[in-house]
Amino acid sequence: MNLHQERYFFLSGVISFSLFIIVLFLAGYGIVLSPKVQQFAMTKSDYISVSIMPAAKPKETPPPVNVASTPLAQPVQEEVPETKPETVPDISDLFSQVKPQKVPPKKADNTKRNDELNVLEKELNKRTDSPRFTDKLNKLELVKPSVKMIAQGGSSGPVVNEYHAKIQGLVYTYFHPPSGTVGQIARVRMNISADGKLLSYKVLAYSGNTMFNGEVDWLKERLNTIVFPKHPEGKEAVLEFILTAKE
């Protein structure tokens, strides 16, 4: 260790010791010079108690009561009237007293419906009486049909001719050409069994009117619902019809 280092070491020790002494001195000074708390006590001779409340009057004590001389009042017992248990009526007796009331059946009130029907009937009568309604009916009138029958194989006697005439009359009855189809013609072939059943219905030639053609097709549906007369000879009939709408 050189000279400078020894001098620095010595100075640091002196400074440290000086600081320790200073701190120790300050601590002891603070303890010695700490302020003392002075306590003051008040004695009875130092103050006077004054009461501003008025003096309370002494309570009068009631004279003593001789317990032995006064008899004790006995509690009065109230008489409770005896209640008899209620008798429960028998259920059968209750039903026997009830009489069923006969309610008369309500009649259906048809007055409102009758009034509506009367009003509707009057409206229909007015419509049929009006000229406009009759004009419409006249316009819807069908034209007269014409049915010409051609039997395959020719005539074979009056009985067969009568059979053909009956079939022609049935076709004429069920054929209803609509209005506006005057002059329209269609050709139809029908096969009828011996017992009078329509076996086939074929349109050989249609007309140039759609409404008339529709009636020719509907004729088949109508003829399917009827039974033709039986063939007198027990044969199947093949017949052709020329359907025409005339005035």
Side-chain angles (χ1 to χ4, degrees):
M1 180 180 297
N2 54 15
L3 181 60
H4 293 287
Q5 292 178 353
E6 290 179 357
R7 186 175 59 184
Y8 291 151
F9 179 75
F10 179 75
L11 289 176
S12 61
V14 173
I15 293 171
S16 299
F17 183 74
S18 301
L19 292 174
F20 177 73
I21 294 298
I22 292 171
V23 171
L24 186 61
F25 176 75
L26 292 175
Y29 182 76
I31 294 172
V32 173
L33 297 179
S34 60
K36 294 181 179 180
V37 178
Q38 297 181 359
Q39 297 179 357
F40 298 94
M42 299 178 66
T43 59
K44 291 183 179 180
S45 59
D46 295 336
Y47 65 93
I48 299 173
S49 62
V50 178
S51 178
I52 61 175
M53 297 294 293
K57 295 181 180 181
K59 296 182 180 180
E60 296 180 357
T61 57
V65 179
N66 191 0
V67 179
S69 61
T70 59
L72 296 174
Q74 296 181 357
V76 179
Q77 296 181 356
E78 296 181 357
E79 294 182 358
V80 180
E82 296 181 358
T83 58
K84 295 182 180 181
E86 297 180 357
T87 59
V88 180
D90 192 4
I91 296 176
S92 60
D93 297 338
L94 294 177
F95 283 106
S96 63
Q97 295 177 1
V98 178
K99 295 182 180 180
Q101 297 180 356
K102 294 182 179 179
V103 180
K106 294 182 179 180
K107 296 181 179 179
D109 189 8
N110 295 328
T111 56
K112 185 177 180 180
R113 182 175 179 81
N114 292 333
D115 295 340
E116 293 178 355
L117 293 175
N118 293 333
V119 173
L120 182 59
E121 185 178 359
K122 291 179 180 179
E123 291 181 358
L124 291 175
N125 292 333
K126 290 180 180 179
R127 291 181 182 178
T128 53
D129 294 339
S130 61
R132 294 183 179 179
F133 190 78
T134 55
D135 293 342
K136 291 181 180 179
L137 289 177
N138 292 330
K139 291 180 180 179
L140 292 176
E141 287 183 355
L142 302 176
V143 297
K144 294 180 181 181
S146 175
V147 178
K148 184 178 180 181
M149 186 182 67
I150 303 174
Q152 300 293 328
S155 176
S156 59
V159 179
V160 177
N161 292 336
E162 184 180 357
Y163 165 76
H164 291 165
K166 291 179 180 179
I167 294 178
Q168 184 178 2
L170 290 173
V171 175
Y172 179 87
T173 303
Y174 287 94
F175 179 53
H176 307 297
S179 60
T181 60
V182 177
Q184 301 297 326
I185 301 174
R187 188 160 184 161
V188 176
R189 177 184 293 172
M190 292 189 295
N191 291 2
I192 303 174
S193 64
D195 55 354
K197 184 178 180 181
L198 181 64
L199 299 177
S200 65
Y201 181 95
K202 183 178 181 181
V203 180
L204 300 178
Y206 279 105
S207 67
N209 188 286
T210 305
M211 296 177 61
F212 187 83
N213 294 337
E215 172 60 25
V216 172
D217 293 334
W218 292 337
L219 178 61
K220 176 184 176 181
E221 303 298 330
R222 300 190 191 101
L223 296 178
N224 278 325
T225 60
I226 65 173
V227 179
F228 293 95
K230 295 182 179 180
H231 198 282
E233 296 179 355
K235 298 180 180 179
E236 178 181 340
V238 180
L239 306 174
E240 290 187 6
F241 296 88
I242 299 175
L243 306 176
T244 309
K246 291 186 176 182
E247 294 183 358

